[in-house]
Amino acid sequence: MTDLGGIPTFDCHGDQTTVGVRWTKWRRAFELFIAGKGVKDAAQKKALLLHCGGMEMQDIFFTFTLEDPGENQTVYDVAMKKLDAHFKPQVNDAYERHLFRAMKQSQNETIDQFVTRLRQKAEFCGYGTKTDESIRDQVIEKCSSSVLRRKLLERGEDLTLEKLQAIARALEASETQAFTMENIKSEVNHVQVKGSRSCKASVTKKPSSDKRCYRCDREGHNQSSDRCPAKGKECHKCGRTGHFAKCCKSGTVNKPTKGRSRDHNQRNSHVRFVDTAGNQEDDHDDEYAFSVTEFSKQPSITVQLGGVSAEMIIDSGASCNVIDKSTWEILKNKRIQCQSQRSSKRLFSYGSQTPMNVIGTFLATISVGSKSEAEFIVVEEKLGPDVQVNTVSDSIFTEYSDVFQGLGKLKDFQLEIPIDKEVTPVAQPLRRAPFNLRSLIEKKLDELENLDVIEKASGPTPWISPVVVVPKKNDIRLCIDMRQANSAIIRERHPIPTVDEVLHVLNQSTIFSKLDIKWAFHQVELCKESRPITTFVTHKGLYRYKRLMFGISCAPEMYQRVIQQALE
């Protein structure tokens, strides 16, 4: 059924829980329509009513038994009365109030806009004279700003809806003005993403007076504001709270990102195609061996792209979605559903000053559990490993077999932990472990003792820390609660390099190697004077560490210093 003059037909058989509400809104729109058209004749109004209502309404209407119009009624009034009697009784006050109480302030929605939405919904809730009071209570409970909520609760019983809106307007205006004053000189810097196989779009962002929040990527507030929608929310990428997946700095994907918008895919997408004809080699890295492989196997996922099943590689360093020409031809042969176009975008592979040959772009739906739209850039170059590497021969494990046995340690070096002698030692009692874990604890203690990581404690033991057992699959992790002992350890403020500093050092590098140190802290031996503070108690007795251990507050800085000296 076509629309007449912008009035949509009425869906009589849609959501039956809201049919009464939808009818009231549709009737209001129709009466505005006929008033605007200047229709006065009652018969013409009735005809337009049934025509605009659609075939379903006509089928319902012609089942009615219509009485003759009285002196003060017209045929239009009779027809509207019959339709009201049919649709309006289906309004469920309890259900509408449930929907009303579930409403909350949306992101970037002012209190005035929220009140307007609430008032529209309250019209069908039957609150009567208590409508403003109900709206006031809903705003206090479901507003997004905790600062505003506290201000409103301070006003007590004399708070009316009108006063509430005045307080909210003043607070919103002051927050906006203060934020503008604090960030008037800020500029949005262009981010250059670095990665050996990443691409970045050469797009210069215009300076903006509103700096984006790095937790939710939206404007109008900073990361510490209570108005940030990401506050307390779980990231669908790394699983942590306090930010959205599109702002996540983690390179680890724990679960697929939901609801990824097109804007996000253009700015910070983490998926990229590789040539489906290329065969990746298996990762031959020994778990603890120093080796160079052809290239690491990146995590791949299978998605539905424009109705076509395709394998994609997750690239946390890429700033856009890229496929090569051969993959594009394969997708076209499989009749991918997309919108393609020419593009003038410039892409640069990492470390290159020459732009890649961009053929064009296309927009398609991509689904990994949930659907969203994404833009893909097609390049002429073949995607694949762009560095030449060598493979370590297995003979290295035979020739230097003694290196790959046991745990090992840094030669001719013992680390001293700085301890404040003025702090009184604390001997904590045993935390009794469950009986079903005791055999695993004994096994772990024997293992660490055989590896020369721990030793049985003898003599005076001023410091004693309890054991915390963390169950694992068919095993346990033995942790020491060092909180009391750490109060006596003097921290060493050795700087630990950031990711940005490491990437700067690696810039323009062409040869890469990988060093995986097994139980890295345990590679460093402690001097005898530093061992007593690591003493811990188990059901088998007292033990202490001979090596640097996890849980010591100064361990990261001291290990960083020691390993830097060893490598230099």
Side-chain angles (χ1 to χ4, degrees), residues 97-113:
R97 291 179 183 181
H98 164 73
L99 296 179
F100 176 85
R101 290 192 295 269
M103 295 175 68
K104 59 183 179 180
Q105 186 181 9
S106 303
Q107 173 64 20
N108 295 331
E109 182 182 42
T110 65
I111 290 296
D112 286 339
Q113 293 170 337

Side-chain angles (χ1 to χ4, degrees), residues 11 31 34 78 88 96 101 140 229 258 265 268 293 307 325 342 376 440 450 468 519 521 532 563:
D11 184 6
E31 289 175 345
I34 60 176
V78 173
K88 276 194 173 181
E96 293 302 324
R101 290 192 295 269
I140 294 175
K258 298 180 180 178
N265 280 279
N268 193 27
T293 58
K325 184 178 179 181
R342 294 287 181 181
F376 291 83
L440 294 175
N450 292 333
V468 179
W519 295 353
F521 284 0
I563 201 67

Side-chain angles (χ1 to χ4, degrees), residues 45-202:
K45 286 183 180 180
K46 174 185 174 182
L48 284 174
L49 171 65
L50 298 177
H51 179 75
C52 292
M55 296 295 293
E56 291 180 353
M57 183 187 291
Q58 294 173 26
D59 292 340
I60 294 173
F61 179 80
F62 287 115
T63 63
F64 298 153
T65 300
L66 302 177
E67 65 273 8
D68 294 332
E71 294 182 359
N72 298 324
Q73 287 186 321
T74 64
V75 291
Y76 170 74
D77 296 331
V78 173
M80 188 61 78
K81 183 179 178 180
K82 283 290 184 181
L83 291 171
D84 281 344
H86 179 78
F87 292 120
K88 276 194 173 181
Q90 300 184 43
V91 176
N92 188 328
D93 287 349
Y95 179 72
E96 293 302 324
R97 291 179 183 181
H98 164 73
L99 296 179
F100 176 85
R101 290 192 295 269
M103 295 175 68
K104 59 183 179 180
Q105 186 181 9
S106 303
Q107 173 64 20
N108 295 331
E109 182 182 42
T110 65
I111 290 296
D112 286 339
Q113 293 170 337
F114 185 35
V115 169
T116 300
R117 264 198 315 126
L118 290 171
R119 193 175 294 281
Q120 292 172 348
K121 175 58 70 175
E123 182 181 348
F124 309 104
C125 295
Y127 286 127
T129 57
K130 294 187 176 181
T131 297
D132 284 1
E133 182 180 336
S134 301
I135 294 175
R136 179 202 65 187
D137 295 345
Q138 190 69 13
V139 171
I140 294 175
E141 181 181 355
K142 296 299 177 70
C143 65
S144 59
S145 172
S146 60
V147 176
L148 174 61
R149 184 178 296 107
R150 286 193 293 269
K151 285 182 175 291
L152 297 177
L153 291 173
E154 288 174 0
R155 298 301 298 268
E157 296 180 356
D158 65 336
L159 179 66
T160 63
L161 181 60
E162 184 178 355
K163 292 180 180 178
L164 180 149
Q165 290 181 266
I167 295 172
R169 292 189 197 107
L171 180 62
E172 290 170 346
S174 62
E175 283 188 352
T176 302
Q177 292 163 3
F179 182 77
T180 303
M181 292 173 65
E182 294 167 1
N183 299 275
I184 192 67
K185 297 181 180 180
S186 64
E187 292 184 356
V188 179
N189 297 324
H190 176 62
V191 178
Q192 180 173 345
V193 182
K194 298 181 179 180
S196 59
R197 299 178 60 193
S198 303
C199 295
K200 56 183 176 62
S202 180

